[in-house]
Amino acid sequence: MCAIAGLTTFSDENVVARMLDRLRHRGPDGIGVWSDLNNGVTLGCSRLATTDPSDVANQPLQTADGRFVLVFNGYIAGHRRKIAKASKDGLPVQSQNDAELVLHLLTDAVLRGGEISNVLASLSGQYALALWDKLDQRLWLARDPLGIKPLYVMHLPSGGIAFASEPSGLSAITPLEPDTAIKPQYLSHLFVPAPKSGLVDVELLAAGTMLSWQSGSIKRSKIPHPAHNVKPHRADDRLVAELRKSVRQSVADAMDADRNVGCLVSGGLDSAGVSAMACDIARERGERPPVAFVMGFDNPERDETQAAQRLCRHVGQELHVFKAPTNPEDIHAGLLEGLKSIGAPFANPSLVLMRALAKQVSAHVPVCLSGDGGDELFGGYPRYRAARLYDRYWRRLPALFRRIGGSLGTRITKRNLGRFLRGAAGGREDAFAAWNDRCAIPELLAQLDVLNGNAASNGDLVDDMMQFDRDVTLPGNQLLMSDRCGMAFGLEYRLPLLGHDVVRLAASVSGKAHLRGGAKAIWRQEIAPYLPADHIRNPKIGFNPPVADWLRDVAAYRWGDEERIINAVFAETDVATPRARGYWKRAVSGRDLDMSLTVWALMVWQIWLALDDSEEPQSDARVTADVT
């Protein structure tokens, strides 16, 4: 993994060096800058060396004739197999580095008149890259189709562009201005959906986007998604076996690094399944199992430490246990640093936990496997079961009966039942919007941003919602958080469940089949042989803080008494003060998670607006952990 940066229309290595200096936390192993003085293009990379750490793999990389130059952030699954094949096919790959592999595959496609997007679609893994063709004076920028790695593009008044792995790199060119127009979408999603970035004149390339710049002209194309044109159907034994084989290969590929590799674990199924499979692969190779990491909570209802300990004893892993932050000052500081690195409002409070966890994991390993994507691919969220219930039964009830149920839902305190009744009161599109819109305050006029037609269609509602989460929510929420929190400390998260074959096969199973017999039916079947018998039955807890407590404590730490808090948090909204007080009391009561998250989002908005973008995120601290 690395930080990449560059600009066109004028050549200035000092500017790009300053950009990379602000991104050094992503790539602490060396900085390289290259300029095309005649054409005014400069590319740079701050490298985290995880594959082939030798100097021959340092970036920017050039072809032997000097025509093509590449900067690359990410990793390619199975890169050694692909390098062997590329060399056999006559491509001059000199190292065992995946970035050099990508350089030669892309340039070969250009020279043959092929499509770069098709080459990239054939490469599983995660990446953001820039390729410069000196002869044609053309720059390609690309982001992987799952949206795992970020790439930000600034459109310059001259017609040129600048790009960087994080917005802080672009701030070395000019001060960044908050884009307050994104507030309705932010409040609905709790993040800013791409291609918006939260900053004026800055674009976050949407997942799978390829941007081509040539003499001020910009063209865009899409890298085909691994689930593109895959029609979901019932699972059979052949497909289940193929999926298990693909997951295992994806885990093995993610373990293939030239640095030490660790695993996140939990009491759930995703990271636990990946970690257990990684241990089995390590034993098969005659290696020690990768070290494991879990974050513990004081509240036993949130703590998964004991389940993680049982898992690690079962698979023979060394486990490091870290404590979640509890001090309001520490939570506030973690939130500030997280928002600075994202450069946009981001209201998932797990950001603070993820940042604290990554900070501690990075003291032990530079590469860590995670189970990100499991809920979205295999049907882990309660709203998917709500959609299945709606499609099978509820939509067939008389409209009057559903409306009565919706009215009852406003008075029911049980969260999932109340949300179901309110969302199911109307038609199919109403249900889709209600179960995906996270804003609980109607006066805020939040707006769900349904991109590229990812809305309720004439298909199955469960499939539509899983596709929406996979294509919009996953990259905008969990993957953004994993990248920014890990790379803040030079930690590369690898996500085996988002291997392209895994995604394709998971998408070929209907949502109903994933939910048959309970959430994640297929995934449970895949990983059951690797886990302790009782682990597979663990209830879903999730990696979430006590939002109501954090909201009350952080707001008090920042603004003081309740009156000041309400004035600050609800500033510039159309919420009358008496109603704002009521919303605040519901939010901190601990009995209304949706209201807690909405008011947390309003608080984060105000904190984000007050940030000074000249302050760089801090990432130099290291801590120790308890080992069990």
Side-chain angles (χ1 to χ4, degrees):
M1 296 294 176
C2 306
I4 63 173
L7 50 83
T8 69
T9 69
F10 66 94
S11 179
D12 193 328
E13 293 190 4
N14 291 329
V15 170
V16 174
R18 289 199 299 272
M19 295 170 72
L20 292 173
D21 189 56
R22 298 192 176 201
L23 302 174
R24 188 65 183 265
H25 49 274
R26 296 183 67 95
D29 296 327
I31 286 180
V33 179
W34 176 92
S35 288
D36 183 343
L37 298 177
N38 294 328
N39 297 307
V41 171
T42 305
L43 307 179
C45 175
S46 183
R47 187 183 179 204
L48 174 63
T50 58
T51 61
D52 193 345
S54 66
D55 290 345
V56 71
N58 287 341
Q59 299 185 44
L61 293 169
Q62 299 182 59
T63 53
D65 61 3
R67 174 175 172 178
F68 296 97
V69 185
L70 175 82
V71 286
F72 176 86
N73 167 34
Y75 94 96
I76 300 301
H79 68 283
R80 296 184 208 275
R81 297 190 305 274
K82 295 181 183 299
I83 287 172
K85 182 180 183 305
S87 298
K88 187 176 179 180
D89 292 341
L91 297 184
V93 184
Q94 300 297 313
S95 71
Q96 289 295 304
N97 182 260
D98 44 5
E100 189 192 356
L101 168 70
V102 172
L103 171 65
H104 291 299
L105 290 175
L106 296 187
T107 57
D108 183 63
V110 174
L111 295 174
R112 292 174 181 269
E115 290 291 335
I116 286 182
S117 59
N118 290 336
V119 175
L120 291 174
S122 72
L123 300 176
S124 181
Q126 51 200 57
Y127 57 81
L129 62 85
L131 176 70
W132 172 244
D133 182 345
K134 192 173 181 180
L135 180 62
D136 288 347
Q137 300 176 37
R138 184 177 182 183
L139 178 71
W140 289 274
L141 303 178
R143 187 183 180 201
D144 67 76
L146 275 299
I148 303 173
K149 291 286 105 180
L151 192 59
Y152 291 84
V153 181
M154 175 183 286
H155 299 272
L156 303 173
S158 62
I161 58 174
F163 65 88
S165 296
E166 294 180 14
S168 59
L170 298 174
S171 69
I173 299 174
T174 186
L176 303 179
E177 178 184 349
D179 179 8
T180 56
I182 50 84
K183 190 175 184 179
Q185 289 81 17
Y186 157 71
L187 290 173
S188 184
H189 293 265
L190 305 184
F191 61 86
V192 179
K196 298 292 186 181
S197 69
L199 299 162
V200 174
D201 295 328
V202 175
E203 169 190 3
L204 171 58
L205 283 189
T209 296
M210 176 175 289
L211 182 152
S212 169
W213 179 93
Q214 191 173 34
S215 301
S217 175
I218 291 177
K219 295 180 180 178
R220 299 172 190 272
S221 58
K222 294 297 289 185
I223 302 166
H225 193 283
H228 182 64
N229 288 334
V230 172
K231 300 298 182 184
H233 52 77
R234 296 181 65 178
D236 55 28
D237 291 341
R238 178 200 57 80
L239 189 145
V240 170
E242 189 179 355
L243 180 57
R244 181 179 291 121
K245 181 180 178 181
S246 295
V247 173
R248 187 177 177 89
Q249 184 62 62
S250 189
V251 172
D253 287 340
M255 295 170 68
D256 187 4
D258 294 316
R259 305 281 295 277
N260 291 336
V261 177
C263 294
L264 298 186
V265 296
S266 70
L269 299 179
D270 302 330
S271 60
V274 168
S275 185
M277 202 173 288
C279 292
D280 192 63
I281 292 167
R283 282 191 294 270
E284 189 177 80
R285 294 174 174 175
E287 302 171 353
R288 292 185 61 186
V291 66
F293 307 96
V294 68
M295 178 163 275
F297 293 83
D298 293 336
N299 184 344
E301 293 182 0
R302 298 181 183 277
D303 187 58
E304 296 182 300
T305 300
Q306 290 186 3
Q309 289 170 337
R310 289 193 296 269
L311 169 69
C312 290
R313 283 195 296 269
H314 180 80
V315 299
Q317 274 185 300
E318 176 186 316
L319 176 64
H320 294 253
V321 181
F322 307 118
K323 287 296 184 182
T326 57
N327 185 295
E329 183 178 1
D330 294 336
I331 297 166
H332 179 263
L335 178 60
L336 285 180
E337 296 301 332
L339 292 176
K340 289 174 187 176
S341 67
I342 291 171
F346 186 83
N348 185 338
S350 296
L351 172 69
V352 178
L353 297 177
M354 287 288 293
R355 187 175 173 89
L357 179 61
K359 183 178 186 179
Q360 298 175 89
V361 171
S362 68
H364 300 269
V365 295
V367 180
C368 190
L369 308 190
S370 168
D372 285 354
D375 284 320
E376 293 80 3
L377 293 185
F378 299 112
Y381 293 124
R383 61 181 179 274
Y384 300 155
R385 299 194 291 279
R388 182 170 183 256
L389 178 61
Y390 178 87
D391 258 354
R392 291 188 68 181
Y393 305 111
W394 210 259
R395 66 184 179 88
R396 306 178 193 278
L397 297 176
L400 176 61
F401 186 91
R402 285 187 275 120
R403 286 198 297 270
I404 292 172
S407 298
L408 289 174
T410 62
R411 297 191 289 273
I412 290 176
T413 57
K414 201 167 183 179
R415 181 180 183 240
N416 287 341
L417 178 59
R419 287 190 74 194
F420 173 79
L421 291 173
R422 294 192 301 272
R428 198 171 181 282
E429 292 188 3
D430 297 321
F432 183 95
W435 294 331
N436 288 288
D437 189 334
R438 307 307 298 270
C439 184
I441 298 178
E443 296 99 314
L444 298 179
L445 303 177
Q447 182 179 329
L448 193 67
D449 195 351
V450 183
L451 302 178
N452 303 319
N454 285 316
S457 66
N458 294 321
D460 188 278
L461 184 57
V462 179
D463 293 327
D464 289 338
M465 290 181 65
M466 289 178 67
Q467 179 188 345
F468 176 79
D469 278 347
R470 184 194 69 209
D471 296 347
V472 178
T473 308
L474 179 61
N477 177 43
Q478 186 61 42
L479 299 184
L480 182 147
M481 189 162 52
S482 293
D483 171 83
R484 218 53 54 83
C485 292
M487 296 307 289
F489 306 98
L491 174 65
E492 175 181 319
Y493 281 122
R494 293 189 176 183
L495 318 177
L497 297 186
L498 296 182
H500 286 195
D501 285 343
V502 179
V503 172
R504 175 179 57 82
L505 289 167
S508 70
V509 178
S510 69
K512 291 178 180 178
H514 280 300
L515 298 173
R516 187 168 287 114
K520 297 184 178 177
I522 304 298
W523 180 236
R524 288 173 188 270
Q525 186 177 346
E526 299 289 346
I527 60 174
Y530 297 96
L531 300 179
D534 59 342
H535 198 103
I536 205 76
R537 296 188 294 270
N538 285 342
K540 181 178 178 62
I541 296 177
F543 191 59
N544 299 302
V547 185
D549 294 343
W550 277 25
L551 173 63
R552 180 190 60 245
D553 295 345
V554 171
Y557 173 80
R558 187 173 180 96
W559 289 296
D561 62 51
E562 184 174 290
E563 195 67 26
R564 290 191 181 93
I565 291 171
I566 292 171
N567 289 338
V569 170
F570 288 89
E572 301 172 3
T573 70
D574 292 329
V575 181
T577 300
R579 292 185 67 84
R581 290 195 185 95
Y583 290 144
W584 171 258
K585 293 187 182 301
R586 282 171 56 186
V588 298
S589 70
R591 297 187 296 272
D592 190 338
L593 178 59
D594 296 305
M595 185 59 68
S596 297
L597 287 170
T598 299
V599 178
W600 177 275
L602 287 173
M603 180 185 73
V604 167
W605 177 265
Q606 295 300 331
I607 293 173
W608 171 66
L609 289 178
L611 286 178
D612 179 357
D613 72 4
S614 67
E615 298 178 44
E616 298 180 49
Q618 300 299 308
S619 61
D620 55 351
R622 299 286 185 180
V623 297
T624 58
D626 297 325
V627 180
T628 60

